[in-house]
Amino acid sequence: MRNAKCLFTTLILLTAIGFQNNATAQSYQYQPRDQKLYDTIVHLDSVFFGFYNTCNVNLDKHSAFYADTLEFYHDNGGLSKSKQEVVEGIRKNVCGKVTRELIPGSIEVYWIPGFGAIEMGLHQFRNKEEPNTPPHPSRFMIFWQYRNKEFKITKVVSLH
């Protein structure tokens, strides 16, 4: 009886393995659940990073996208919970030196009920001070809180 239970358990496991979802990262195709939300966030991303890329003249417009409660998680720089600190870091290290390029087709947007939306995607940065250094794609997440009929960035996760 014991061998029968072991054989039965083994057969169940082998059957389950045989019916696994065959999706892979390479075959995954994102489809927005809410096209209007997706289009809104993609537009906001474009405007936000347009100001980022021209922050030497548009830093105030760029920083206006951030909520006062901003949290910025960076795999190299750590966690910052200060909007002022993040904006100052951009002023010192980005403005006139670095530009961001979105990897086309990489943005995914998910509605979070009671909060707003989360945007995920791939982008790369070009350093004007090192023009021969090839950029490499990196992941990002932006948490867009929806309040008073507008979106504000409350969290950024930047992974290089």
Side-chain angles (χ1 to χ4, degrees):
M1 184 71 159
R2 188 173 182 187
N3 286 339
K5 284 183 180 180
C6 286
L7 179 62
F8 180 73
T9 303
T10 302
L11 287 173
I12 294 293
L13 288 172
L14 289 174
T15 302
I17 291 168
F19 286 106
Q20 282 182 355
N21 183 348
N22 291 325
T24 64
Q26 289 78 23
S27 69
Y28 174 73
Q29 292 272 332
Y30 168 76
Q31 294 295 319
R33 288 188 204 164
D34 181 335
Q35 190 65 47
K36 183 178 177 185
L37 175 66
Y38 176 83
D39 293 343
T40 298
I41 297 299
V42 168
H43 172 73
L44 289 171
D45 179 274
S46 175
V47 174
F48 173 70
F49 281 105
F51 291 142
Y52 176 94
N53 287 341
T54 58
C55 62
N56 50 334
V57 294
N58 287 311
L59 187 57
D60 289 341
K61 291 178 181 177
H62 173 78
S63 64
F65 276 81
Y66 294 129
D68 290 335
T69 57
L70 176 68
E71 293 179 357
F72 196 101
Y73 300 81
H74 194 283
D75 61 338
N76 294 327
L79 169 63
S80 175
K81 291 185 175 185
S82 166
K83 175 181 175 178
Q84 181 179 351
E85 185 179 292
V86 170
V87 171
E88 183 60 22
I90 290 169
R91 188 188 66 70
K92 282 177 156 177
N93 302 311
V94 172
C95 295
K97 300 174 186 173
V98 176
T99 56
R100 182 256 198 173
E101 298 171 352
L102 178 67
I103 304 298
S106 70
I107 290 181
E108 297 181 20
V109 176
Y110 299 90
W111 178 248
I112 306 298
F115 173 76
I118 294 179
E119 170 191 10
M120 301 184 310
L122 294 168
H123 55 193
Q124 60 190 12
F125 297 88
R126 294 196 184 270
N127 188 333
K128 293 178 182 180
E129 296 175 340
E130 298 174 13
N132 296 326
T133 302
H136 65 277
S138 59
R139 296 186 186 280
F140 70 93
M141 291 176 60
I142 299 175
F143 290 64
W144 295 91
Q145 186 174 38
Y146 188 72
R147 275 204 183 141
N148 303 321
K149 299 184 181 182
E150 75 173 343
F151 283 99
K152 288 283 192 177
I153 297 171
T154 59
K155 291 180 178 44
V156 176
V157 179
S158 183
L159 307 171
H160 296 88

